[in-house]
Structure formats: C-alpha cells, structure tokens
Amino acid sequence: MSLTDLTIAAARRGLRGREFTSRELTEAHLAAIEALNPRLNAFITVTGERALAQAGIADAAIARGEFAPLTGIPLAIKDLFCTEGVRTTAGSRILSPFVPPYESTVSANLLRDGAVFLGKANMDEFAMGSSNMTSAYGPVENPWKRRQDNEAVLVPGGSSGGSASAVAARLAMGATGTDTGGSIRQPASFCGIAGIKPTYGRCSRWGVVAFASSLDQPGPFARTVEDCAILLGSMAGHDPKDSTSADVPVPDFAAACRREVKGLRIGVPREYRLDGMPDDIERLWQQGIAWLRDAGAEVIDVSLPHTKYGLTTYYIVAPAECSSNLARYDGVRFGMRENGVDLRDLYERTRAAGFGAEVRRRVLIGTYVLSAGYYDAYYVRAQKVRALILRDFTEAFAKVDALLAPTAPSAAFAQGENMDDPIKMYLNDAFTIPGSMAGVPGMSVPAGLDVNGLPLGLQVIGKPFDEETVFAVSAAIERAAGITALPQVRAGA
C-alpha cells in the first residue's frame, strides 16, 4: 500500500511503530501534489519547504517518544484560514497579496497537535459557490469520472472543493473546510469522502475570513468517519477571542465511532423528498434506513415543516451578512489596490477589479435587503423564519436522537452544467441549508454510487453539541456501505 493511501488512524499507528517517518509521509504527499495538482488545481499555494521542516520537528518528537494527536500527519488547509507567514487569498483577487501576521485558532490548534501543513487549498471565492468554479485561481477538478463519459470534467462541489478534491485524490490525509450552507457536506458527497459541519460554536471562527458570521463553521474532511473524528478533536475547543465560541468540553469523538446504534431513534424528515429527485438518491436513502434498522436503531418519520423556506431564507441572511463583512475590502487597509482619482474612485475600482461575479451578485443582494425600506420586509422576516426552522429541529429532536437524509440532490455534475442558472446552482444546498440555519451538526458519509459510478453521500444530522451521536451513526453507515471504489484520478493511479 502506498503511504498516500493510509488513513490518518493507520498513519498514526505506523509513525508510532517507526514503520516510516513523517518526512517520508510528507514527501509522498508532496510528490502526489506535484504530479496531480497541475490537473486538479486543488491547491492555490503549496508550502513544501515549510511542510518538510514541520515533518522534521515531528520526527524529532517521535524519536523522543512524544506523540500528540496529529504528530507528523500531512493536511491541506482551506485558503480561508489565516496562516501566519503564508499567503491567504480566500480564492479572491482582492486578497492575492495578503500574508497574515497571525494564525487562525483552528490551524493553530492543528499545529499544536503536531500536524504538517502541505499548503492552502483552492475554494470558491470568499466561500460563495457550490461548484468551486468561482475561484479567482481557476476551477478545481473532481478526481472522480463518469463511467459513461470519461472525458467530462466534474466539479468537486463547493465552496471547500479544493480540500475535498485533495483528500479524495490522496494529495492530503485530511483537510480543513468551512460550512456556511453546505460547503463541507456537499463537496464531501461529490468527492466520495467524509466531512462534518460541527455545531455552530464548536470550532472557533477567529482568523477565518468571514462570509456569513452567524452561519460559518469550520470542520474537517477525511476519507473515513474516524479520521474526521480525530481531526475535529484537535480543531474544536473554546476560544476567548471568538464571542460565538462555545465554552463546552471536547469529548473523545474517535471513541464515539465505536459506539453501537442499537436503541437509537433515527428520524426521517419527510420534507427532504424533493420533486424530481433522482431515483439513485431515493434508493440510497432507503438503503441507509435499512442499514440502521438492521443495526438495531428505530426509524421514525418526522416533520420539519419550515424546511421549504430554508433556501430562500438563507439567500437573504447570508448575502446580508456577506455584504457587511466584505465592506472591509476597500483597497486601503490590506489586499490589492487599484489607483483612483479620489477615495471613492479607489474604492470602486478596487472592488470592481478584486471581486468576481458571484461575490458581486451576493453583495448586491445583501445590500438591497439591508437597505432602508427593505430591512424589515426581508432581513427581519428572514430571521423570524430562521427561528421557526430551529424550532422544527428542536421539536424533532425531542422525539429522535438523529436525523437521516440525503446530502445533495445529485451526484457531481460537469463543469459548465448548471452554471448559467444561479437558482439551479443554489438548489445544490437544499438538503444542507436547513441544518446550517439551525446551527446543528451534520455529517456526510459516502454510502453508494449512482448509475455513472459517482459517489453519493448520506447526511446524519444531530442535536446541538451531540457530534458523538452523529459520529456513531455515521460510522455505522460507513461500515454497512463498505465503499471500496476509488476515484480514477489519484496519486499512484
């Protein structure tokens, strides 16, 4: 087995058993990046020398018998996390020259636990997109291929598409992502890997470039549920620098993956059945229900009646917050600057040159709904509907321990498909947005393949700060599914 095919759990055992070194592990992944990144475009910035230096530190610690949870494990970091001394672009031209003088809390936690950073993963600009086609640094390619159309270049999902593609193609053992309306779960589903959006407040947002502050939440990608649990254990924790960071204990998430699901009550939300949903996804959903029943769980039909308003509510709240957050990019304090005849002209030229079309679209929508005369009609009303969506989840969780639903309404689509219709693109997040609006944890688990041999994910949604149950149920699905198919474009293929 190639070193790049190891899971994080297996690599930790190998490092501790002195079967290989962190330097060897890191070199193998850097070689894979060199071979495949020109095609996949999963990384914006590769930090090879820094990674090898970190691997050397890890090997020295191992030689002394010192082992942190992630000592020597090579990871990709979404280019939304500020990394001290390493360019952080958020996938945008406007931040192309930005090199942060500080480290985000999540990436600092990973470094504290011994991780090796391979580089910064590509992403939709400012995390706005469902395809990773809006990056100013070019689109990311999904390493999976359609069985009947091998020439089609598929999207990896968004906004964390670079992270998902890198993990699926064996360019990194795990990666960080952020999820605002589905930007971890949907790419995980499209790329056939695991990814979890934790409860809002579980991971600090300090040092993460903001899109929509009441929705953004960091989380991990990995090839297995257990590996995600290991990563989240390091990423999570209270941060006094973030007022939305929850002061709650961080449990042993990896241990939760070994729990039985016998006796758990699993809710199936009837509103997640969309008109025109592909038969493959409906069949997989029914198969997931059967797997959990066979494992001893009780399956209960539940209703989330305000789910149908989730998408429209999100596309009022998120653009409003993005409009406010992106006001800071003016060409004066940091990032790129275009010359202007006066201050206003400088602002206008800088923002016009620095922001892509999708970012401009969302800023305009957000500015409109926050403007005088429309604030109460749109933004205030959307927040009231958001409270009703949360109430639906709260009432459902009084009856069940977790919910099971599809992750996305389709498998990965090709570059160029759906791209001319923003509404069709927004519908990609129909199954993930309600959980984001409620702030509850949700995980996508690879559970099957469609008729074209492309991966499909099932989504497990849990109670606030009950990621342990989410991991237990997700691990049970993973074991039952036994997915062994690999993407065609990967290291060593």
Side-chain angles (χ1 to χ4, degrees), residues 244-267:
T244 64
S245 173
D247 191 2
V248 294
V250 178
D252 186 344
F253 296 125
C257 297
R258 297 184 286 276
R259 288 186 186 175
E260 291 188 0
V261 298
K262 186 176 181 179
L264 290 182
R265 298 163 300 167
I266 306 299

Side-chain angles (χ1 to χ4, degrees), residues 293-319:
R293 276 205 182 103
D294 290 345
E298 179 186 2
V299 177
I300 300 170
D301 286 333
V302 297
S303 178
L304 301 172
H306 293 92
T307 291
K308 60 185 176 182
Y309 303 117
L311 205 64
T312 49
T313 303
Y314 174 86
Y315 279 103
I316 293 172
V317 173

Side-chain angles (χ1 to χ4, degrees), residues 363-416:
V363 167
L364 287 170
I365 293 170
T367 303
Y368 177 81
V369 302
L370 291 176
S371 61
Y374 299 100
Y375 179 82
D376 289 339
Y378 290 102
Y379 187 71
V380 171
R381 184 173 293 183
Q383 291 290 17
K384 290 177 180 177
V385 176
R386 183 178 184 177
L388 295 175
I389 292 171
L390 173 58
R391 188 179 72 185
D392 287 349
F393 279 97
T394 302
E395 290 176 354
F397 285 131
K399 305 171 188 172
V400 299
D401 301 296
L403 302 172
L404 181 69
T407 303
S410 72
F413 49 89
Q415 293 181 5

Side-chain angles (χ1 to χ4, degrees), residues 79-378:
D79 208 15
L80 206 66
F81 292 81
C82 288
T83 42
E84 184 177 1
V86 177
R87 186 172 71 138
T88 300
T89 72
S92 180
R93 280 189 206 89
I94 207 162
L95 281 178
S96 57
F98 178 54
V99 178
Y102 55 89
E103 193 79 33
S104 77
T105 297
V106 164
S107 55
N109 289 349
L110 293 170
L111 290 172
R112 173 204 66 201
D113 283 355
V116 172
F117 289 175
L118 297 165
K120 307 300 289 290
N122 203 346
M123 55 177 284
D124 279 310
E125 185 179 8
F126 283 106
M128 298 179 198
S130 301
S131 62
N132 220 139
M133 293 290 289
T134 71
S135 171
Y137 303 91
V140 175
E141 181 177 338
N142 191 325
W144 288 81
K145 290 291 185 181
R146 286 175 178 157
R147 190 178 290 144
Q148 280 91 357
D149 184 9
N150 205 266
E151 297 303 312
V153 177
L154 306 182
V155 304
S159 64
S160 309
S163 294
S165 179
V167 172
R170 281 39 179 177
L171 308 188
M173 305 199 81
T176 62
T178 59
D179 193 308
T180 305
S183 289
I184 290 175
R185 290 161 289 166
Q186 186 243 25
S189 179
F190 278 14
C191 292
I193 60 174
I196 182 170
K197 180 200 86 71
T199 309
Y200 182 81
R202 171 67 83 179
C203 294
S204 171
R205 293 185 300 109
W206 193 86
V208 180
V209 178
F211 164 16
S213 300
S214 72
L215 294 160
D216 299 343
Q217 185 56 203
F221 289 97
R223 290 195 293 276
T224 69
V225 172
E226 181 185 17
D227 283 0
C228 281
I230 291 168
L231 289 173
L232 184 60
S234 291
M235 294 170 67
H238 177 59
D239 179 8
K241 298 192 292 294
D242 176 5
S243 63
T244 64
S245 173
D247 191 2
V248 294
V250 178
D252 186 344
F253 296 125
C257 297
R258 297 184 286 276
R259 288 186 186 175
E260 291 188 0
V261 298
K262 186 176 181 179
L264 290 182
R265 298 163 300 167
I266 306 299
V268 177
R270 62 178 69 105
E271 290 79 10
Y272 278 54
R273 285 187 170 85
L274 298 180
D275 291 339
M277 189 167 70
D279 291 341
D280 286 339
I281 292 176
E282 176 64 36
R283 279 195 295 270
L284 184 66
W285 195 4
Q286 294 304 318
Q287 180 64 72
I289 291 169
W291 284 331
L292 292 176
R293 276 205 182 103
D294 290 345
E298 179 186 2
V299 177
I300 300 170
D301 286 333
V302 297
S303 178
L304 301 172
H306 293 92
T307 291
K308 60 185 176 182
Y309 303 117
L311 205 64
T312 49
T313 303
Y314 174 86
Y315 279 103
I316 293 172
V317 173
E321 295 183 9
C322 116
S323 171
S324 177
N325 279 323
L326 269 61
R328 72 193 68 174
Y329 303 106
D330 53 17
V332 174
R333 286 163 287 186
F334 49 81
M336 68 174 283
R337 174 185 296 188
E338 293 288 308
N339 294 324
V341 296
D342 55 26
L343 187 62
R344 177 169 179 163
D345 190 46
L346 180 149
Y347 288 165
E348 291 176 350
R349 288 176 181 271
T350 297
R351 290 168 69 81
F355 290 152
E358 182 62 29
V359 171
R360 291 198 297 270
R361 181 184 293 118
R362 297 198 195 194
V363 167
L364 287 170
I365 293 170
T367 303
Y368 177 81
V369 302
L370 291 176
S371 61
Y374 299 100
Y375 179 82
D376 289 339
Y378 290 102

